[in-house]
């Protein structure tokens, strides 16, 4: 049964942008038009919501966007929305613009904000997981993660050429905040010698001894993928020095991939995921669902309460750790 109360839906992107956010906005806008509802875009996430920075969107407003990285609605991290006063202003802006429900696209910070907002104002919000980090509980994949993996693998393939030519060891730092998903999957995909993630916290001495072993086994160059959230990632230049001091035979270089991981044309996987979840978000709102994220689990679309998405530690695919160990021998 459709909830007839909902006539106008707002959509925003918040937190770090990710490739595929535009495809998600497009799906939300078109699903809204398909259901004969009005849609407004909110610029710069919760900050734009507080400022009433809105734009009406129709099916044609999102043409030529599916293939674009970044977010056409821009993004921000709003400190004002973390205050009760800021959220009160945001609520009034929604009422003034006759917005009945919201779709928020972002990561755990975005969902934390949505949860509190719903608690305070009982306002229908559903979320879509948009972050390269893949660190949201309740969804197997986040929008942007696959594209980021492809970007990392492409970059490391290039690094491998030069590493091999000079018999060098490269420490490649990747994003992910406190989650090791990008490092683990991209590390396997790029054929890394070792993968350093915060979920394992192996330490620099373990790394040195494993590199010593692989040198003995005949490897002449090496790629180590390091997650920025690991202690080694936080001190990557010092660790490079430490390795050179303890393994004289290695010449070490560091590459920090940084924000190139957030940009670029979204992969087909991310475009399809974003389209699927965007349509499902509008279906969910019309079915009366709220206070939840629409994600994907075992290839099925699922609705997960915001409280669950932000609960506990990031879960890494432990089976992949074993794979990484075996294939890097
Ligand atoms: O959450 C996405 C992400 O790219 C993280 O991987 C990274 O730690 C962070 O955002 C960087 O944030 P900023 O763009 O604000 O420097």
């Amino acid at each position: 049964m459709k909830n007839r109360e909902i006539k106008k839906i707002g959509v925003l992107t918040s937190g770090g942008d990710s490739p595929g956010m535009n495809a998600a906005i497009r799906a939300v806008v078109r699903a809204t038009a398909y259901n004969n509802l009005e849609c407004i875009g909110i610029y710069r996430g919760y900050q734009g919501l507080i400022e009433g920075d809105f734009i009406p969107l129709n099916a044609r407003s999102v043409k030529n966007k599916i293939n674009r990285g970044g977010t056409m609605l821009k993004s921000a991290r709003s400190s004002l929305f973390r205050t009760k006063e800021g959220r009160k202003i945001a609520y009034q802006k929604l009422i003034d613009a006759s917005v009945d429900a919201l779709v928020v696209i972002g990561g755990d910070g975005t969902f934390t904000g949505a949860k509190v907002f719903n608690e305070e104002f009982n306002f229908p919000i559903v979320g879509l997981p948009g972050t390269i980090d893949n660190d949201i509980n309740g969804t197997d994949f986040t929008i942007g993660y696959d594209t980021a993996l492809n970007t990392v693998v492409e970059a490391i393939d290039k690094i491998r050429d030069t590493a091999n030519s000079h018999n060098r060891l490269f420490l490649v730092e990747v994003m992910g905040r406190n989650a090791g998903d990008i490092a683990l999957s991209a590390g396997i995909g790029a054929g890394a010698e070792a993968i350093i993630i915060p979920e394992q916290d192996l330490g620099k001495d373990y790394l040195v001894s494993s590199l010593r072993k692989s040198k003995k086994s005949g490897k002449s160059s090496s790629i180590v993928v390091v997650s920025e959230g690991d202690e080694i990632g936080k001190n990557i230049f010092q660790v490079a020095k430490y390795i050179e001091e303890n393994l004289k035979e290695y010449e070490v270089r560091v590459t920090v991939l940084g924000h190139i991981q957030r940009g670029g044309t979204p992969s087909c996987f991310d475009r399809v995921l974003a389209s699927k979840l965007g349509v499902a978000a509008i279906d969910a709102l019309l079915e009366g669902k709220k206070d939840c994220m629409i994600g994907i689990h075992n290839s099925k679309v699922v609705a997960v309460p915001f409280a669950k998405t932000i609960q506990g530690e990031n879960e890494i695919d432990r089976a992949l750790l074993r794979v990484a160990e075996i294939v890097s021998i």
Side-chain angles (χ1 to χ4, degrees):
M1 272 291 278
K2 285 187 179 181
N3 182 347
R4 283 285 149 211
E5 298 303 307
I6 294 180
K7 294 199 177 85
K8 197 179 200 178
I9 295 177
V11 56
L12 62 80
T13 48
S14 166
D17 63 340
S18 70
M21 277 186 165
N22 278 327
I25 295 167
R26 174 180 177 268
V28 166
V29 172
R30 295 224 165 137
T32 308
Y34 181 86
N35 285 286
N36 297 315
L37 306 169
E38 278 186 77
C39 188
I40 61 150
I42 298 158
Y43 284 115
R44 293 174 295 116
Y46 293 128
Q47 190 57 35
L49 178 54
I50 292 168
E51 293 171 24
D53 195 1
F54 302 159
I55 181 173
L57 296 173
N58 62 40
R60 297 284 74 74
S61 319
V62 287
K63 68 180 179 191
N64 299 330
K65 292 287 186 270
I66 192 162
N67 55 331
R68 307 293 296 270
T71 158
M72 63 179 272
L73 290 176
K74 305 197 182 284
S75 195
R77 294 188 172 108
S78 172
S79 48
L80 195 48
F81 195 76
R82 291 202 193 102
T83 66
K84 196 163 183 158
E85 195 191 35
R87 292 190 294 273
K88 234 172 140 180
I89 300 170
Y91 178 68
Q92 198 50 50
K93 296 283 179 190
L94 289 170
I95 298 303
D96 293 348
S98 308
V99 177
D100 306 306
L102 271 183
V103 177
V104 297
I105 308 168
D108 51 0
T110 307
F111 296 165
T112 305
K115 180 177 170 288
V116 175
F117 195 73
N118 177 64
E119 276 161 18
E120 287 172 350
F121 303 104
N122 190 26
F123 194 87
I125 311 184
V126 299
L128 295 181
T131 164
I132 63 165
D133 299 340
N134 207 41
D135 59 348
I136 309 289
N137 289 332
T139 187
D140 296 343
F141 301 106
T142 57
I143 298 163
Y145 172 60
D146 181 68
T147 306
L149 290 182
N150 287 315
T151 302
V152 172
V153 167
E154 198 186 325
I156 297 179
D157 285 349
K158 289 178 178 153
I159 291 169
R160 180 180 292 282
D161 290 343
T162 176
N164 201 33
S165 301
H166 288 269
N167 286 347
R168 279 175 174 160
L169 165 68
F170 269 82
L171 301 183
V172 182
E173 188 195 294
V174 299
M175 279 187 169
R177 206 179 287 276
N178 299 317
D181 295 55
I182 294 180
L184 183 54
S185 285
I188 291 174
E193 164 66 38
I195 299 169
I196 306 295
I197 57 172
E199 291 84 351
Q200 274 196 306
D201 191 21
L202 294 174
K204 59 185 185 203
D205 290 319
Y206 178 90
L207 178 60
V208 166
S209 77
S210 118
L211 289 170
R212 186 173 286 124
K213 251 193 248 159
S214 68
K215 189 82 185 172
K216 274 197 190 136
S217 79
K219 290 193 181 183
S220 54
S221 66
S222 284
I223 307 277
V224 176
V225 176
V226 182
S227 179
E228 64 175 353
D230 190 274
E231 278 311 308
I232 292 179
K234 287 177 189 153
N235 304 289
I236 196 152
F237 289 96
Q238 287 98 302
V239 173
K241 224 172 134 218
Y242 183 80
I243 295 170
E244 281 191 333
E245 281 162 9
N246 287 276
L247 291 170
K248 299 281 181 222
E249 58 272 47
Y250 268 122
E251 196 183 1
V252 186
R253 292 289 183 272
V254 173
T255 302
V256 178
L257 291 183
H259 286 78
I260 67 159
Q261 295 162 93
R262 286 243 297 265
T265 305
S267 66
C268 183
F269 180 90
D270 276 330
R271 296 181 200 193
V272 175
L273 178 66
S275 303
K276 211 188 227 179
L277 299 187
V279 168
I282 301 305
D283 287 344
L285 282 172
L286 294 177
E287 282 161 13
K289 293 201 177 91
K290 59 180 190 167
D291 199 25
C292 64
M293 171 196 74
I294 305 301
I296 192 102
H297 182 55
N298 294 336
S299 304
K300 295 247 175 330
V301 171
V302 288
V304 185
F306 281 137
K308 256 190 150 172
T309 66
I310 55 182
Q311 197 177 61
E313 304 275 291
N314 179 54
E315 277 175 32
I316 205 84
D317 182 350
R318 298 264 151 201
L320 272 187
L321 290 174
R322 180 167 175 266
V323 172
E325 195 187 334
I326 293 172
V327 297
S328 64
I329 200 166

